[in-house]
Structures are given as structure tokens and as C-alpha cells.
Amino acid sequence: MEMDKPRPAYAGEGCLVGVLRVPVKVVAVLVVLPVRVVWDLLVAVARLLNRHALGPAGRGLRRFHEAVARPVLRVLGRVAKNLLMLVFVWPWTGLWRHVLGPAGRGLARLGSALAAYVLRPLGRGLALAGWALFVWPWAALWRHLLAPAGGALLTHLLRPLGDGLRRALRAVDRRLLAPLARGAALVGRALGTALFVWPWVLLWRYALAPAGRGSARLARATGVAAAWLSRALLVWPWARLWRYAVVPVGGAAYRYLLAPAGRGAYAYLLAPLGRLLVAAWHLAGRISRALGRGLVRLWRGCVARPCAWAYRQVATPAGHLVREVWRTARAAVREARAEVRRALFGAPPREPVRSRARTLGSTTAVGSAPAPEISLHERQG
């Protein structure tokens, strides 16, 4: 890959690196090294706290939550649920189930029976009475008197009279009113055209339209002249200045001055300084790790190993000796107490051997079956 190829060294880079190496090392030892040491100490302290304080505390809290808090909260939740059910649900459920529900069903059955045996027959009777009083007489009057009389009047009088009037009005409209309306429409159209259309048409065709076309041409010519004048005064000089002065001068300055200066500053100053700072940081890290390993070894050699040797060679045998002495003293005290108890109160009664020999998990003694009745002579024989 191109990134793995060695970068060609510029002329004078070795001299500049040699000049900057000593100040950078001084800065690395006096400034970067304390910062790196403090950083490594903070990392070590954080890991130590996480390993010996925060981690066990978190595990303890998790175990407390799993072993104590969660069961307690579950029990409290069940108790609260039961209390809420006892206060807000079960009384209303019992009231509905044992009081309101049976009462409602009884009222519904009573209403159904009342409607079926009282209200429905009464309503049917009232309906029949209303039909007999207010519907059937007027229906019979309309069916047997008014409808036949109206039909005969319509057939023999009103319909022929209406047909005659329609024919007369149609003849008057066709022979008189329609010709008069067409003549009046022609006269009105001619008068309206002569008074309201032709003067304005002539005015627009021979006065307004030519004047408008002339004004438009004059305005267009004036706009074109103003545009050319504004370009000549405000655009073309600056465009020529940008094209023939600013662009060539700026390009030459960037190409022959700014770009070489930037590449030289990056190549001869920034890049070597960055590499030296990175090397100083890594050097400070190695020194910090060496100091840390030295301190760890010093701690192990001066504190940890002597304490471990003292624990193994001194404290452990002393503890075993103290434990044996304590065990012997406890046994002696126990025997002395037993002797005093036997001297004062006598020896306790001993149980039979069969009753003391019990099997695990049962109440019967081992060998509790009765021995066979065999005489001594038979046993010896």
C-alpha cells in the first residue's frame, strides 16, 4: 500500500529534528511525564476501587435486592393488592352480586309481567278505540264520499276546463306574444350595440391600442438602453478587473508563495514537531510504566513478601498453637464440669444398648427383635 511506503526526507529535516530533539525531551520529562504519571496513578486507583470497593458493593446491593428487597416488595405488592381488592372491589362486587343484581332481576321480571299482562292489553284496547274514533270514520268518509265526488268533478269539469284554458293560452303565446318578444329583442340588441359597443370598439381600435403599442415599444427601448448602460458602468469594468488582474495575481501568489510556504511549514515544522511530541508521549508512558513496576516491586519486596512470610511462618503456627491450647482448655473445663456434676448429682442413668443403637430416620432400635429362647446347654452343645 502507499501508506506503508517510507516518506522521502526533505532537505534540512534532519538538522531541524536534531535542534528540536533536546527541548522536546526536556518538555517531555518536565511536563508530559508528570501528566502521564498522574494519569497512570488515577487509572490504577480507579481499577483498585472498582475491584475492591465498587464491584463488591454493587454485587452486595444486587444480592440484597434479589434476596431481600424483591421478596419484600413482592409481598408488599400482594398485600396492597389484596387491601385494594378488599376495600374497592369485593364490597361492590358483593353488593352487585347479592343485592343489586337480584333486585334488578326481580324488577325486570315484574316489569315484564306487568307489560305482558296489563300494559300490552290496555295499549291494544286504546289503539283499537283510537282507530274506531279517529281513523275509520274519516277513512270511510274519504273512501265512499269524497274520493268518488272529487274523481267525478275532476273528470267531467276541471280537466276539460283546464285543457281549454291551456289551448287558448298556447294560441295567444304563439300568435301574439312570441312575435312581439322577438321584435323587441331585435330592437333592443340594435340599440345596445349602437350605444354601448361600437363607440368603445372604435375608441380602442383607433386610439388606445395604437397609443399602448407605441408606449410599450418606447418602454422596451428605454429598458434595453438602461440595461446596456448599467452593464457598461457597473459590471464590465469589475469583470475585466477580476478576470485580468485579481485572478492572475491571486493564482500566482497562491501557486508560488502560499502553497510552497504551507508545504514547507507542514513538512519542516509541524510534522517533525508532531512526531517528536508523539515520541515524547510514548517515552513518558514507558518511564511511567517503569516507575510503576519499580514501585510495585518495592511494595512487594518491602511490605507484601515480609507480611506474607510473617503470616506463614509466625502467625499461622501461633494461631494453630493458640487453637490447640484453647481446644485442650475447653476439653479440660468440660471434663471438670462433668466431674463436679457427677460428684454433686450422681451419674445419670445409662440407657440399654439396644435403645441407644438407633437407625437413622426410624424410631426402632437395631436388633430390637426378641432373642430366641434357647437354653445354655443347647448353646454350648
Side-chain angles (χ1 to χ4, degrees):
M1 297 177 63
E2 295 181 357
M3 297 178 63
D4 297 332
K5 294 181 179 180
R7 187 182 59 83
Y10 293 97
E13 182 178 357
C15 181
L16 184 60
V17 171
V19 172
L20 293 177
R21 184 172 297 169
V22 175
V24 168
K25 287 185 177 180
V26 172
V27 172
V29 173
L30 296 180
V31 179
V32 181
L33 180 59
V35 175
R36 187 59 183 264
V37 170
V38 172
W39 174 258
D40 292 338
L41 287 176
L42 290 177
V43 171
V45 170
R47 290 178 180 174
L48 183 64
L49 288 176
N50 185 29
R51 183 179 302 170
H52 298 287
L54 298 180
R59 290 190 293 271
L61 289 176
R62 184 176 60 191
R63 292 175 182 173
F64 176 77
H65 175 70
E66 292 178 355
V68 179
R70 186 183 295 175
V72 170
L73 291 177
R74 189 179 292 115
V75 171
L76 290 178
R78 291 177 181 175
V79 171
K81 181 180 177 182
N82 293 328
L83 287 177
L84 291 176
M85 293 288 291
L86 181 62
V87 174
F88 296 102
V89 177
W90 292 342
W92 301 105
T93 304
L95 180 63
W96 172 259
R97 183 177 298 173
H98 300 290
V99 178
L100 297 180
R105 288 192 293 271
L107 290 177
R109 292 174 184 174
L110 180 62
S112 299
L114 183 64
Y117 296 106
V118 177
L119 297 179
R120 191 174 296 168
L122 182 61
R124 288 178 182 176
L126 292 176
L128 291 175
W131 278 91
L133 292 176
F134 299 101
V135 177
W136 291 341
W138 299 104
L141 179 64
W142 171 262
R143 182 178 297 174
H144 299 290
L145 180 61
L146 296 178
L153 182 62
L154 177 64
T155 302
H156 300 289
L157 179 61
L158 296 179
R159 187 173 294 170
L161 182 60
D163 292 338
L165 290 175
R166 185 176 67 251
R167 292 172 183 174
L169 292 175
R170 186 180 297 172
V172 171
D173 179 63
R174 185 182 299 171
R175 302 296 179 182
L176 180 62
L177 297 179
L180 289 177
R182 285 195 292 270
L186 291 175
V187 173
R189 185 180 300 170
L191 290 176
T193 303
L195 294 176
F196 299 103
V197 177
W198 290 346
W200 300 105
V201 170
L202 295 177
L203 179 63
W204 172 260
R205 182 176 296 175
Y206 297 105
L208 298 179
R213 286 194 291 271
S215 300
R217 291 173 183 174
L218 179 61
R220 189 180 297 114
T222 304
V224 170
W228 280 96
L229 182 62
S230 62
R231 288 180 182 178
L233 294 178
L234 302 175
V235 178
W236 291 343
W238 300 105
R240 297 297 184 275
L241 179 63
W242 174 262
R243 182 177 298 175
Y244 297 109
V246 176
V247 173
V249 172
Y254 174 76
R255 185 177 300 173
Y256 299 107
L257 182 61
L258 297 178
R263 286 194 295 269
Y266 176 77
Y268 298 112
L269 182 61
L270 297 179
L273 184 59
R275 287 194 293 272
L276 288 177
L277 289 176
V278 171
W281 178 258
H282 289 301
L283 178 62
R286 287 194 292 271
I287 295 173
S288 175
R289 285 193 293 272
L291 288 177
R293 287 194 294 270
L295 291 175
V296 170
R297 291 177 181 177
L298 182 62
W299 169 263
R300 288 178 181 175
C302 295
V303 179
R305 290 178 181 174
C307 291
W309 180 85
Y311 176 76
R312 288 194 301 268
Q313 302 297 329
V314 178
T316 301
H320 292 171
L321 179 61
V322 170
R323 185 174 60 187
E324 293 295 332
V325 171
W326 175 254
R327 185 180 299 170
T328 304
R330 287 181 62 188
V333 170
R334 189 179 297 112
E335 291 178 359
R337 289 174 60 188
E339 292 295 335
V340 171
R341 188 181 298 109
R342 281 196 297 269
L344 293 177
F345 303 104
R350 294 185 179 181
E351 296 181 359
V353 177
R354 288 185 302 173
S355 63
R356 288 202 306 266
R358 300 284 184 177
T359 57
L360 296 176
S362 64
T363 59
T364 59
V366 177
S368 59
E373 296 181 357
I374 301 174
S375 63
L376 182 61
H377 178 72
E378 292 178 354
R379 292 182 181 179
Q380 292 177 358

